[in-house]
Amino acid sequence: MSTIQGDPTPDALESRRTRNAVFGAAFGFFVDMYDVYLPTVTLVPAMIYFIPADMPPNTKAVTSALVFVATLLGRPVGSMIFGYFADTVGRRRVTLWAVAGCTVTTALIAVLPGYADIGIASTALLIVLRFVDGVFMGGGYTGSTPLAMEASPKGRRGWYGGFIGGGSALANCVIAVATLVVLQFAHEGGPHAAYTVWGWRIPFGFGAVLSIIFLVYYARSVDESAAWKSTRKAKNPIREIVLGSQRRDFLQIFVLMTGVWFASSMASGILPTALHEDSHLTATQVTGVLVIAQGIHALFFPFLGQLSERIGRRRFIAWNGVAVAVICAGSFALLALGWSSGFFTLVVVALVIRMTGGSVFAVTPSYLCERFPVAARGTGFGLGYSTPLLVTSFYAYYQNWLGHLIPRDFTPAVLLVLGGVLITGGALLGPETRHADLSDASARIEGNIAVG
């Protein structure tokens, strides 16, 4: 069929919709991950602003971890709430709602008063706002990634999923860059240092601005999922996923993602602290190491996703679990032993930790979407991705318990071994999914994945 000269062909329009949806999901994932890991890097030199210096060390460690954990606990709640609407109201609309909520909460954190101003209420407000932020983040996962994967052609979902997952590593890199830049003119130190009082606010404000830019782009450029619009809607997608015909698929994903989040908590959440305490790097040196290691790691994500297209998602994830349990855990043990020293040596160690502990995120966007049918995909992806955080978010408490049995510096290695076993076991419990037809609107909710 001919088209008017100058008008795009149907294939060109479809290609543009795919690119816009994938870029939107990658941008959204980047914004979400920026918010998630912001405290683990940006607030490390400034926690004295919220936590008094005379607080007992164990209490201080647990309270600092709770700032991070609060966000993780909020994400399953958001996935349940927003996942329901992603499957019944629409992927695009829910994405906009969720990111708008993240924008507001991140901006509020940026203007919080400190412990010297309002006492322990400052710490409580930070934790509460981080929890609310996590609720909206969990909602963001349920819309944009399923929409992008449904718009992606079979055979290219690995590449596009890797591009989306790369937002995680890129976010860690940008956080480190933003913190490093601010530290150059707002120096760290005691409770009255420039970074402690106001410097940390700049990366949070930058996060709010990024969210606003995303909202404008997504509202203007991304169309609703054609697969979602054409499928029959489930009456209660939450019930179908947790208690209905998809419960075994959900349980398998729960096992897998529990391992993934144990690995991620160590490779992203604990790594900056380990570099600072075990390797005695300054805050500026830590951020420099993370900028280089995570920047390099981000470049690999699309290629790792495409590798799963060739060898299979199941095999890729299973072998990644082995790498987590052996290589990533071993690298943390080296840090604990103090055998790794020197800036560039630590860059290599950090890169190895990131490559082994975080590369599974190159495959999770495509794999998790392929495990659930159209009518419940938003809920399935969101709950499968986030509910394991109810177990893994308390990693600081697990470390405290393990610290009675072994030196605390070695506890990340133990949790990484556990995470690797769960990743490999979870992958082997599930099927290969790379041939799933995500656009099959005729797939019944009672069935498993529809394969082409």
Side-chain angles (χ1 to χ4, degrees):
M1 183 176 69
S2 62
T3 59
I4 299 174
Q5 187 173 7
D7 288 348
T9 65
D11 287 345
L13 286 172
E14 187 63 27
S15 178
R16 185 172 67 186
R17 290 191 189 99
T18 298
R19 288 196 304 270
N20 288 347
V22 170
F23 180 77
F27 192 3
F29 194 54
F30 163 76
V31 170
D32 284 341
M33 291 296 103
Y34 182 94
D35 264 2
V36 168
Y37 292 111
L38 198 54
T40 66
V41 177
T42 297
L43 283 184
V44 168
M47 280 309 295
I48 196 172
Y49 183 75
F50 293 101
I51 298 175
D54 58 355
M55 181 179 284
N58 284 343
T59 306
K60 185 182 296 185
V62 171
T63 304
S64 299
L66 190 56
V67 173
F68 181 59
V69 168
T71 306
L72 304 184
L73 292 176
R75 285 153 79 183
V77 177
S79 292
M80 183 173 294
I81 296 170
F82 289 96
Y84 174 87
F85 290 109
D87 287 324
T88 57
V89 175
R91 323 279 200 225
R92 179 179 178 275
R93 189 181 301 179
V94 163
T95 299
L96 294 172
W97 292 348
V99 177
C102 289
T103 305
V104 174
T105 51
T106 302
L108 288 174
I109 291 172
V111 297
L112 277 178
Y115 186 88
D117 301 308
I118 60 174
I120 199 65
S122 174
T123 311
L125 282 172
L126 175 61
I127 292 171
V128 169
L129 284 173
R130 288 295 295 172
F131 176 80
V132 175
D133 203 20
V135 172
F136 286 113
M137 288 179 205
Y141 304 138
T142 66
S144 61
T145 299
L147 190 159
M149 290 294 94
E150 288 166 354
S152 301
K154 190 187 301 183
R156 294 289 289 170
R157 285 196 300 263
W159 175 267
Y160 289 139
F163 183 75
I164 293 169
S168 173
L170 184 61
N172 280 283
C173 180
V174 172
I175 292 169
V177 170
T179 304
L180 184 62
V181 169
V182 174
L183 283 168
Q184 303 311 304
F185 58 83
H187 299 294
E188 60 179 309
H192 304 294
Y195 188 88
T196 304
V197 176
W198 56 266
W200 64 270
R201 302 179 191 275
I202 296 174
F204 276 88
F206 180 58
V209 171
L210 284 173
S211 296
I212 293 171
I213 295 171
F214 169 81
L215 286 171
V216 173
Y217 169 81
Y218 208 82
R220 290 182 176 180
S221 304
V222 179
D223 299 326
E224 183 54 84
S225 164
W228 175 83
K229 288 192 292 186
S230 62
T231 196
R232 182 179 179 181
K233 308 302 183 286
K235 291 182 179 180
N236 190 339
I238 297 174
R239 179 179 175 81
E240 290 292 342
I241 293 297
V242 179
L243 300 174
S245 58
Q246 303 298 310
R247 64 186 182 278
R248 291 186 179 180
D249 299 334
F250 173 70
L251 180 60
Q252 178 254 322
I253 293 298
F254 186 91
V255 172
L256 168 64
M257 291 306 299
T258 297
V260 169
W261 286 119
F262 268 128
S264 179
S265 295
M266 301 303 106
S268 296
I270 295 298
L271 179 59
T273 302
L275 290 170
H276 179 64
E277 295 180 356
D278 297 337
S279 301
H280 309 293
L281 296 181
T282 66
T284 300
Q285 290 173 323
V286 169
T287 50
V289 167
L290 296 177
V291 167
I292 298 171
Q294 292 167 164
I296 295 172
H297 186 212
L299 298 176
F300 279 89
F301 267 70
F303 300 98
L304 293 169
Q306 188 60 27
L307 176 62
S308 78
E309 202 72 62
R310 292 181 176 274
I311 68 173
R313 317 264 195 256
R314 184 172 182 261
R315 182 180 299 176
F316 180 97
I317 296 171
W319 278 110
N320 186 249
V322 174
V324 167
V326 177
I327 302 175
C328 194
S331 298
F332 261 97
L334 289 177
L335 290 178
L337 289 168
W339 291 358
S340 301
S341 61
F343 183 83
F344 290 105
T345 300
L346 290 169
V347 167
V348 173
V349 173
L351 178 59
V352 170
I353 288 173
R354 290 295 306 151
M355 286 290 293
T356 53
S359 290
V360 72
F361 287 109
V363 180
T364 52
S366 54
Y367 182 75
L368 267 63
C369 286
E370 291 162 353
R371 292 295 284 123
F372 300 104
V374 179
R377 185 167 292 136
T379 302
F381 183 91
L383 291 180
Y385 192 79
S386 297
T387 50
L389 291 166
L390 295 172
V391 176
T392 62
S393 294
F394 298 99
Y395 65 85
Y397 300 91
Y398 305 149
Q399 286 184 276
N400 278 344
W401 178 79
L402 287 169
H404 295 294
L405 305 175
I406 60 175
R408 182 180 172 84
D409 290 346
F410 289 92
T411 57
V414 175
L415 294 178
L416 282 164
V417 171
L418 173 61
V421 170
L422 291 172
I423 291 170
T424 300
L428 296 178
L429 285 172
E432 176 53 52
T433 64
R434 55 182 162 160
H435 300 303
D437 184 358
L438 301 192
S439 65
D440 186 1
S442 66
R444 298 177 63 197
I445 190 72
E446 294 84 6
N448 288 319
I449 58 170
V451 295

